[in-house]
Amino acid sequence: MIRVVYVSFATVPFSDASLDELLNKSRDNNRRDGITGMLLYRDGDFLQILEGEASAVNETYQRIAKDNRHGRVLVLDESDISQRDFGDWSMGFRRLGRTEMPAGFVDFFDRRFDTATVVDRRSEALQFLAGFREIGR
Ligand code: FAD
C-alpha cells in the first residue's frame, strides 16, 4: 500500500453545498476503490491524504490532479505503508476556520508558503492530519 499527501488551492468558490457534493462523490468512489484518508479545507485551500493499494491511489490521485476546481497541487509525501492511519474513513473531512492552525506547525495552507520549507516539513502534515482523525465525520 502507499499514501499520498498533497496540498492544493481551490480555483472556484466552494460553498458548503459544493463541498458536500465533492465529498459524497469522493466517498462513493473511495469506498469502491478501497481508498481511505482525510481532507481538510481552509478558506479555499485543501490538504488531503489518500491511502490504499498503489494502483488505486495513483488512479485516484491522477483524477484529482486533473480536476480544474483546484490547482497548484503540491505532493508533500508519497510513501509505502504497511498499515492505514485512516482505515475508518472513506474520506474524513474537516472544515477549518479561516486562520485556524495549531501552534508549531508550518502553515500548509498559506498561499505564500515557501515550497522547499513545506516539503521539508512534510512529516508535520501527517501529524497535523492525524490530529483530526478522531473527529473527522
Ligand atoms: P464524474 O463525477 O462523472 O466527473 C466527470 C468530470 O467532471 C471530472 O473531470 C470531474 O473532475 C468533473 N466534475 C465533476 N463534478 C464537477 C463539478 N461540480 N464542477 C466541476 N467539475 C466537475 N475524487 C475521488 O474519487 N476521491 C477523492 O478522495 C477525491 N478527493 C478530491 C479532493 C479535492 C480537493 C478535489 C478538488 C477533488 C477530489 N475528488 C476526489 C474528485 C476528483 O477530482 C474527480 O472529480 C472525481 O474523482 C471524478 O469522479 P468520476 O470519475 O466518477 O467522474
Side-chain angles (χ1 to χ4, degrees):
M1 289 192 294
I2 64 165
R3 73 169 169 237
V4 169
V5 180
Y6 74 84
V7 285
S8 67
F9 302 123
T11 52
V12 295
F14 270 90
S15 62
D16 286 347
S18 49
L19 275 173
D20 273 351
E21 187 195 331
L22 173 72
L23 274 171
N24 289 337
K25 181 74 191 171
S26 298
R27 286 172 174 156
D28 284 350
N29 285 353
N30 293 351
R31 272 187 213 104
R32 178 195 66 198
D33 300 335
I35 303 271
T36 53
M38 171 75 67
L39 176 68
L40 300 180
Y41 177 82
R42 192 190 81 180
D43 196 27
D45 304 327
F46 294 101
L47 172 64
Q48 186 175 35
I49 179 168
L50 302 160
E51 51 186 25
E53 294 305 327
S55 55
V57 171
N58 286 328
E59 276 168 33
T60 299
Y61 175 74
Q62 291 309 323
R63 281 202 314 273
I64 294 172
K66 275 193 247 153
D67 193 322
N68 56 18
R69 289 172 286 179
H70 68 161
R72 286 178 60 195
V73 180
L74 172 67
V75 173
L76 299 179
D77 184 57
E78 181 174 359
S79 308
D80 290 325
I81 52 170
S82 54
Q83 62 182 41
R84 295 170 189 260
D85 285 334
F86 296 88
D88 290 341
W89 287 280
S90 54
M91 194 46 62
F93 176 70
R94 176 82 193 274
R95 183 179 194 142
L96 303 175
R98 184 176 283 261
T99 57
E100 193 181 339
M101 197 73 200
F105 287 99
V106 64
D107 191 344
F108 301 101
F109 299 102
D110 189 338
R111 280 165 195 267
R112 296 157 303 176
F113 67 49
D114 170 55
T115 301
T117 305
V118 167
V119 171
D120 229 36
R121 294 174 67 176
R122 60 186 175 273
S123 62
E124 288 176 27
L126 289 166
Q127 287 172 35
F128 184 59
L129 284 156
F132 295 99
R133 197 165 36 205
E134 306 311 323
I135 46 181
R137 59 175 188 180

